[in-house]
Amino acid sequence: MTRTTEPIRTIDWHTGGEPFRIVPDGPAAVTGDGLTVAERRVVAMASDEAQWMRALLCSEPRGHADMYGGILVPPDDAGAHLGVLFWHKDGFSTACGHGTMALGAWPVVSGRVPAPDDGVTDVVIDVPSGRVTASVRTSGGLVEDVTFTNVAAHVHARAVDVATSRGTVTADIAFGGAMYAVLPAEAVGLRVQPENATELIAVGREIRNALNAARAAEHPGDARLSDVYGTVFTEEVRPPTLRADGSRQLHQRNITVFADGEVDRSPCGSGTSARVALLADAGELLPGDELLHESVVGSVFRARIAKQTTAHGIPAVVTAVTGTAHAVGTCRFTVDPRDALLPGFVLR
């Protein structure tokens, strides 16, 4: 890997408990002119410099096995405020809802994107899966919440059998910016609870790897968006309830195991979009209804269908997912070239 010894500045946030480390000054390989964000991701995956930065900031002692972040890059055109390459310990992902929420709040709080003391400001962001919007609601000059309007989400496959160490299970596959396998936690004999995280990680990896080996999640329009990125285990918190306006509110809990065994502390923004696509397809979530999607640590996203549409000739929905993002701190990471453990290590 190409080693840089220059200090790296980051701004750290979390959304629903899931970390998001913002890198405002990325390596030249991915910040030059003339590329789309989707193309920049391909470049990053092949770039020693970008991979070094990702590994350095994800790995211990500067990060941890479940670290997540993004490198800011130029947007595709002047229609967006910024572009971003999402990263984790195993590589560069195509989408990230919780990161998009943090990237909406951060430029408003920092003044990079002007916003009123009271109102809603749209921050438009180009990500590898397309153009998304973070609508930042402010009150009294403070950010109250952020609504992430995603690329179109759709069902890819239903009732796919997968052999696991806990027996054969049946999973649905849906796209919410990335491909997700979705199934009830009870199908593997577990509950969505923190004490079950290790076992859910193990079987989640099995499901993801088996589906990808079978090429079960080939994207219909862009091969770069293919393959299952995460396994979403769900359970119902309570039956749907009727609200005063006649719409329904669903309350479900999930744990998303993504990449190679990482756990999303938030309810997972892009995974929530995939979940909404499945519920909409089944007629269980209608326009006007709301899904309260709870994470394994108890944080909640509120999700709804913003628009019904089609994508690649497939019925699809544009989802709106609302959550909260908070600043954690700023860092200036240094690199001693004599350090024998560079760029770091991950024990799990």
Side-chain angles (χ1 to χ4, degrees):
M1 287 186 177
T2 300
R3 299 187 174 203
T4 177
T5 56
E6 294 297 317
I8 300 173
R9 179 172 63 98
T10 70
I11 305 102
D12 284 19
W13 283 65
H14 84 88
T15 305
E18 179 71 359
F20 192 74
R21 177 164 285 169
I22 301 167
V23 184
D25 304 308
V30 296
T31 56
D33 296 331
L35 297 174
T36 66
V37 173
E39 290 167 341
R40 293 179 196 280
R41 175 175 175 260
V42 175
V43 170
M45 291 189 292
S47 164
D48 285 349
E49 188 180 11
Q51 291 285 17
W52 167 265
M53 178 177 284
R54 177 195 61 75
L56 188 79
L57 296 176
C58 279
S59 305
E60 298 178 52
R62 296 167 186 83
H64 52 79
D66 297 287
M67 194 65 209
Y68 207 105
I71 298 170
L72 298 189
V73 296
D76 291 356
D77 56 52
H81 292 95
L82 53 92
V84 61
L85 298 179
F86 299 119
W87 47 255
H88 47 74
K89 74 174 177 61
D90 301 306
F92 292 87
S93 56
T94 61
C96 177
H98 90 273
T100 298
M101 292 181 196
L103 285 172
W106 165 66
V108 167
V109 169
S110 65
R112 179 171 176 151
V113 174
D117 285 346
D118 300 282
V120 176
T121 302
D122 286 346
V123 179
V124 183
I125 305 167
D126 284 332
V127 307
S129 59
R131 178 161 289 178
V132 300
T133 301
S135 299
V136 183
R137 184 170 66 91
T138 49
S139 178
L142 301 175
V143 172
E144 293 292 329
D145 55 37
V146 183
T147 298
F148 156 54
T149 303
N150 200 1
V151 298
H154 65 265
V155 176
H156 179 75
R158 287 281 193 181
V160 181
D161 289 337
V162 189
T164 77
S165 59
R166 291 177 168 265
T168 298
V169 299
T170 300
D172 298 323
I173 302 174
F175 177 80
M179 291 284 189
Y180 291 88
V182 183
L183 70 160
E186 65 180 5
V188 295
L190 296 168
R191 297 285 308 282
V192 178
Q193 296 174 338
E195 57 266 32
N196 293 333
T198 299
E199 293 170 287
L200 288 164
I201 289 170
V203 71
R205 293 173 72 184
E206 288 181 36
I207 292 168
R208 172 183 179 265
N209 292 343
L211 290 172
N212 287 342
R215 302 181 67 86
E218 298 294 300
H219 190 275
D222 188 342
R224 295 171 298 188
L225 303 176
S226 295
D227 291 337
V228 171
Y229 173 57
T231 304
V232 182
F233 295 101
T234 67
E235 67 181 28
E236 188 175 70
V237 175
R238 57 171 169 77
T241 58
L242 192 65
R243 299 192 291 185
D245 62 2
S247 65
R248 296 177 304 163
Q249 186 182 75
L250 285 64
H251 191 174
Q252 300 180 359
R253 183 179 295 118
N254 90 95
I255 184 170
T256 299
V257 181
F258 67 92
D260 189 18
E262 297 186 47
V263 172
D264 199 323
R265 274 69 173 158
S266 83
C268 186
S270 50
T272 295
S273 293
R275 181 64 176 147
V276 168
L278 288 163
L279 292 168
D281 177 71
E284 297 177 43
L285 190 76
L286 305 175
D289 292 347
E290 181 180 66
L291 169 66
L292 294 183
H293 216 204
E294 187 176 327
S295 78
V296 70
V297 301
S299 55
V300 177
F301 287 166
R302 305 192 316 273
R304 59 183 173 84
I305 299 167
K307 183 175 69 172
Q308 294 174 310
T309 185
T310 59
H312 312 289
I314 303 167
V317 291
V318 174
T319 63
V321 182
T322 301
T324 55
H326 300 280
V328 173
T330 58
C331 300
R332 184 178 181 271
F333 290 104
T334 56
V335 178
D336 185 339
R338 300 167 299 169
D339 186 346
L341 293 178
L342 290 173
F345 55 90
V346 177
L347 282 180
R348 196 191 74 220

